[in-house]
Amino acid sequence: MTRFAVTRAIEGLIVLLLMSFVVYGLIGLMPGDPIDLMIASNPKLTTADGQRLRALYGLDRPILERYLNWLTAAVQGDFGYSRAFARPVLELVGPRLVNTLVLLITALAVALIVGLGAGLYAALHPRSWIDDLIGYLSFISISTPTFWLALLLIMLFAVVLGVLPASGMPVGADTGLAERLRHLILPVATLSLASAGGYTRYMRAAMIETLGQDFIRTARSKGASEMRIVLRHGLRNALIPVITVIALDFGALFSGALITETMFAYPGMGKAIYDAIMANDFNLALVTLLFATLTTLAGNFAADLGYAWLDPRISLAAGRAGT
Amino acid sequence: MTSVGMLLEVQGLEVTFPTTRGLLKAVDGVSYSIAAGQTLGVVGESGCGKSVAALAILGLLPPPGAVTAGQVLFAGADLVRLDPGALRRLRGDRLAMIFQDPLAALNPVVPIGDQVGETLVIHHQVAPSLARKEAAALLRRVGISDPDRRIAEYPHQLSGGMRQRAVIAMALACRPALLFADEPTTALDVTVQAQILDLLDGLRADTGMAMQFISHNLAVVSRLADEVVVMYAGRIVEKAPTNELFRHPAHPYTQALIDTVPVKGRRPRGSPPMKLPSIPGQVADMRTVRTGCGFAARCPQAAYDCRAAEPPLRESGKNHWVACFRAAT
Amino acid sequence: MNGAPLLSVEGLVKHFPVQRSLFRLGRGTVVRAVDGVSFELRAGETLALVGETGCGKTTVARAAAMLHRPTAGRVRFRGQDMTRLRRRGLKAARRHIGLIFQDPLSSLNPRLSVARIIAEPLVIHGIGSSRDRRERALELAAAVGIAIGDLDRHPHAFSGGQCQRIAIARALACDPALVIADEPVSSLDASIQSQVLNLMIDMKERRGLSYLFITHDIGVADAIADRVAVMYAGRIVEFGGRDEVFHHPVHPYTRALLDAVPQLGGGRGTAVSEPGEPPSATSLPSGCPYHPRCPKAQALCKEAIPELTSPGAKGATLAACHFPD
């Protein structure tokens, strides 16, 4: 187990390193640089000033050298300053990351409860009218784009009914919990509804397949009740393939969270990434994107742990777990 | 009609599966009985209805299969008409079943001990921890070494032979009166098969339970059974005590099976490979509606009457029953 | 013995590494599927490779057709070392080897018509025009007992026995010298097994084929073989004529295997069971792999792996045992 965690941590570091290089390179390829923006916004600056500023900030160096400089500083814990916010990047990203994680985890929990519950019910009552209804609803959920669903929910609950806020989650610790929760409801609903449909379909299919297995027949031949068959023998086996889907979906959930945050002006990583790229805020963009990578890696790690917990045939010690 | 001392009496059992091409009669009027402590062998090729009949008796038919006629008397009750709850209380307790593929029959994510002791938890409200202890004793009984360690292991950690031993231990936990064994050695190697057959026969002798042993392999059945039923196309074509059946097979299908199965010793020593006797044609397709004897199309002795009417099962000798117009009486 | 053998396998070893993580291979365990197997197959004979699950018989068959590249050893077919051949040479050599597998339905492409399936080897080797191939398929179908009218149907329309007939026709399409058949009748019903075996015997006589016939069923091997190789834990433990091996076995494992087979109408307690199960190919015991189960095992058996040699004046039988009968 420890070995597995260490292996995974090393693999994660390699992925982060590669990602940082790719992201740095991509940002470097973007047209224009911060100095161009400065010159454009301040008519007193001349082209010569621009050259001097570039040399000052090191922007005239080749990109590989700049990347290595950044990396050396980053390894020592210095991720630099955000130009747009004029604050250290880490200080800026911290609370936003927390907000995003709150949104992500709540949405995931809601999606799992709704999706797995509905899928399980549908699998146990195949071809009933409720199964059909669950089927239709999950297809609607799968095929509705996140941004459109967000708009729809805002229209209904914020504009027409006026019961929930459409945006403006307050930043800072002085707001009450109830107020925060009220601001969470619509983003969480948007995000979880988009994923729940998929989980429902997979859970239903996995459970129906499991119930057709020989060992379920064995359990019946032992006189086990339906409840026992489903909970003791079916559920755990059915969840194994569903975990794969959840792990694969995690990236999509994360990018969905970024869109949702922008739609609801929710102060999380998504908005930070958007703002950073729009303002050509080099350091901030890099760190936010790296945190996004880290979150996805953590999600996959959690899925691997889930596998090992559900399926004794997967041994983490041998390092054979994988997604 | 009920004969004295019979543990299980199957009378006119008929199992039907509705299909897009009409009703498929997988089991078509089958009657037999098993006395306490006796082993009945049921032999036939794939699709002859031998497994379906057993599943029907236990109420384990996969949907949309259903028993459409007949009765199954066990311990004074008709299992066909018993309410599902009462039948469930018999299953795993008084009636047990083991299947062909032990790896598939065991739940991959539940420890062996919990699976073996589960019927005790279900039927006798034994605490799970106690059931696990009992499971260790059962595993020892079926010849698994180091059972205290094995109860915590999972099916994939056991060898094929050990898995089938565990399945047998599981079926025997509540000391059933009747065990249905459906091809329990087909997935096993021949040296392990011999061990499992010995084990089953020994356990039957020790516990006094009866057994219905289902197999496609005549030789395997002949090693365990007191009496053998031969099925073809959903019907019983011959029924006789084991020795009698092999010495004087009366039905052309039984004769053909005995003559054509490749067994060691059929080809004389020193002889080059030569053709074996064989039955022409394919195994009967249950989806086609037929009249008369199901074997008529492949039977060397078939005549007009065989295709016109279904031959009834009649007694051709002492305890020897055959469904054939051509068989001598 | 007339001239060179058709197929000769020398010191065949096939190990499969058990893959570990994505990034590193590490010191993974190795499945020793075949661990030094040598035999010769003469032209015109049927050699049965007999053994239980995991003994390596299928791996030997696949390596003989070069479907697996062996870890070590040579496979000579018609005097040519197949292990040295690369793509084109191998393809040319394979033209003379027909293959038949256990599961008749899954070894036939479900989307092709039977005529096309039978003619597929001809297509692969670029033999004949499409009309020639169609004619050849008709001829082969007739020879294996598939009705001409059924040639445009697809495999799922046929029973297991008929599918195996189609597979046999396909294996014979290029007029091979050798047919490697891996458990060709194991998944068939009892009354169909003898039909298919008869067809194979018939084809061999008419076309002068040789068979490498892999089976776990002693009865089937007894019916079809000229010579028999008994395998255990990746090695041949006994090799000889069918009469000698099946009627005067010298290796204790062969004896146990034969004793375990139940006889028709044998009655209670006729088949004798030996304790234990074959070892796992990832952790073979030291010395003779059969020693943990062998009633005759002595100290030497735990230490030294016995060579396949002739045990005295017993005729042509070879056995890998320190203390043969």
Side-chain angles (χ1 to χ4, degrees), chain B residues 45-46 191 195 270 276 279, chain C residues 52 189 191 195 198 243 274:
Chain B
E45 297 178 289
S46 54
T191 55
Q195 297 166 9
L276 309 151
I279 323 175
Chain C
E52 298 182 278
D189 273 307
S191 71
Q195 288 179 6
N198 284 349
D243 285 347
E274 295 272 349

Side-chain angles (χ1 to χ4, degrees), chain A residues 213-226 228 232-234 236-237 240 310-314, chain B residues 55 60 88 91-92 95 97 99 101 104-110 114-115 118-119 121-123 154 156 170:
Chain A
Q213 302 277 314
D214 277 9
F215 60 80
I216 295 295
R217 187 179 60 180
T218 306
R220 290 223 159 84
S221 78
K222 288 158 90 174
S225 62
E226 281 305 303
R228 188 177 185 89
R232 176 104 177 111
H233 293 283
R236 202 160 156 183
N237 282 287
I240 295 168
L310 285 172
D311 192 344
R313 286 164 296 187
I314 290 171
Chain B
L55 292 174
L60 293 173
R88 191 173 62 70
R91 272 202 307 263
L95 298 165
M97 185 159 185
F99 301 95
D101 181 352
L106 290 166
N107 189 331
V109 305
V110 176
D114 292 3
Q115 297 193 59
E118 190 175 7
T119 49
V121 178
I122 295 171
H123 297 290
Y154 292 90
H156 72 277
M170 188 163 86

Side-chain angles (χ1 to χ4, degrees), chain A residues 116-172:
Chain A
L116 301 191
L120 194 60
Y121 186 89
L124 298 182
H125 304 85
R127 286 180 286 276
S128 66
W129 69 269
I130 296 192
D131 179 25
D132 288 343
L133 182 69
I134 289 173
Y136 292 133
L137 290 178
S138 42
F139 277 120
I140 291 173
S141 145
I142 292 166
S143 43
T144 309
T146 314
F147 72 90
W148 194 73
L149 181 64
L151 285 176
L152 222 63
L153 289 176
I154 291 172
M155 289 279 284
L156 183 63
F157 290 100
V159 180
V160 178
L161 298 176
V163 287
L164 290 169
S167 68
M169 160 76 105
V171 195

